[in-house]
Amino acid sequence: MTTKTIAPQGVYNGFARRRNAIALGTLFLTAVYWAACYALKESGSYLRPAEEFCVNSENELCSRPDLFAFQIGSGVAIFYCGVMGISTWHRSVHRDLPSTPEGRLFGYLAESELLAAANFTFQVWDFFVSLMIPEHATAVFLLHHVAAALVSWFSLSYQVLHYYGVFFLGCSEVSSIFLLFIDLGRYFPPTTGSPFDLLISICQPAFLITFGWYRIVLWWKVSILLWKDVIYVLKTGKAEELRPGKSFCLYIYLFLNVVLGLLQIFWFGIILRAAYEVVRG
């Protein structure tokens, strides 16, 4: 069992501690992506993309190994973060961190540090790979990657928000596990009645439920507690006492919490409209 502790400023820089793992993780995801791209470079005959993803390919066999490879690389990172997040949130974070504002904001949890390192690795990798894929290189998605990487970096470098990091960097990715398969089916439409078609039909309601629970209901419930804790440590001076000169990252975290929370609501509205269209037929 992890010792309940509040890590004092200056114990170590978590980013420096995990930099080798971050570098290796980035190289691994990149290797997976390019290996998949190479293996599937002539896959048009058996992995036909949807017509909307076959621009300028009227007279040739369309192949989009980049879209498939991206899902594989993303899947590795998202599955790790989602499983680590949900297992830690429902198993140890409430047990191993002090149930106080100081404990939730400045307590140390090894699992949270690993999550922050993994999420930072994924977001940075995702950002640069997305620049090469038109379907992913949108301003909203790129800014989302920057915001998520920034809060991960704060958590690592200043040893803050380990309690909240488990939820926002881990549990929030659970719905994305199902989205991976849904997007894969959108890029490469399955044959009706095939096993993959059945898998997607299962993932669609699972995605709706997990997104609504973790990214809407629990997101705002946890966010309210976050705001109360941050306001308390700022008013009492505990923030400067435990992390001298680092209080600014709490303000940035609150700002990004609201921005990303509103973005979840916007996306959930799109998801509900799509679900309504499917049910209506």
Side-chain angles (χ1 to χ4, degrees):
M1 178 174 173
T2 306
T3 302
K4 290 188 178 184
T5 181
I6 297 176
Q9 174 67 18
V11 171
Y12 62 80
N13 183 313
F15 185 85
R17 176 187 174 94
R18 302 290 178 181
R19 62 186 176 189
N20 290 338
I22 290 171
L24 288 173
T26 304
L27 289 174
F28 175 74
L29 292 178
T30 303
V32 168
Y33 174 78
W34 286 114
C37 279
Y38 180 79
L40 299 170
K41 63 179 180 180
E42 302 295 339
S43 59
S45 60
Y46 59 89
L47 194 63
R48 175 75 181 182
E51 289 301 322
E52 63 181 297
F53 304 113
C54 288
V55 181
N56 300 325
S57 62
E58 294 85 355
N59 300 318
E60 60 183 39
L61 196 60
C62 177
S63 178
R64 289 298 305 272
D66 56 335
L67 289 175
F68 199 95
F70 181 84
Q71 295 302 103
I72 295 176
S74 297
V76 172
I78 288 173
F79 187 80
Y80 176 84
C81 290
V83 171
M84 170 72 86
I86 199 169
S87 63
T88 303
W89 183 259
H90 294 290
R91 179 176 52 86
S92 61
V93 70
H94 305 286
R95 178 194 68 199
D96 295 342
L97 287 177
S99 300
T100 63
E102 297 92 336
R104 287 186 290 267
L105 293 175
F106 305 119
Y108 174 79
L109 192 68
E111 295 93 330
S112 187
E113 184 175 281
L114 288 171
L115 259 176
N119 206 283
F120 178 83
T121 302
F122 170 53
Q123 299 299 340
V124 171
W125 174 84
D126 197 333
F127 178 89
F128 286 104
V129 173
S130 292
L131 294 176
M132 300 184 291
I133 305 174
E135 291 81 4
H136 295 290
T138 64
V140 172
F141 283 111
L142 293 177
L143 288 174
H144 175 267
H145 296 322
V146 171
L150 186 60
V151 296
S152 298
W153 186 82
F154 281 144
S155 182
L156 274 173
S157 296
Y158 302 144
Q159 296 297 303
V160 296
L161 298 143
H162 278 201
Y163 173 90
Y164 294 103
V166 171
F167 180 81
F168 292 119
L169 303 178
C171 292
S172 66
E173 295 292 357
V174 172
S175 62
S176 298
I177 295 174
F178 301 106
L179 182 60
L180 284 167
F181 295 101
I182 295 172
D183 280 345
L184 199 59
R186 184 165 62 90
Y187 300 144
F188 305 95
T191 302
T192 302
S194 66
F196 186 46
D197 186 43
L198 175 61
L199 175 62
I200 292 175
S201 68
I202 295 172
C203 286
Q204 287 172 334
F207 171 64
L208 176 65
I209 293 169
T210 53
F211 192 102
W213 180 244
Y214 284 107
R215 289 185 178 250
I216 301 297
V217 177
L218 286 186
W219 180 285
W220 290 104
K221 180 181 178 181
V222 175
S223 293
I224 290 172
L225 183 60
L226 166 67
W227 275 76
K228 289 180 178 178
D229 285 350
V230 171
I231 291 172
Y232 172 81
V233 298
L234 290 174
K235 281 187 174 181
T236 60
K238 290 291 184 180
E240 280 300 312
E241 176 186 334
L242 294 169
R243 295 294 184 275
K246 302 300 186 295
S247 295
F248 71 92
C249 71
L250 297 178
Y251 290 103
I252 295 176
Y253 208 101
L254 291 183
F255 171 74
L256 293 177
N257 171 256
V258 173
V259 172
L260 293 175
L262 293 175
L263 191 59
Q264 313 302 333
I265 294 175
F266 171 74
W267 282 335
F268 195 54
I270 295 176
I271 294 167
L272 289 177
R273 285 194 294 272
Y276 174 74
E277 293 298 326
V278 170
V279 172
R280 193 179 67 172

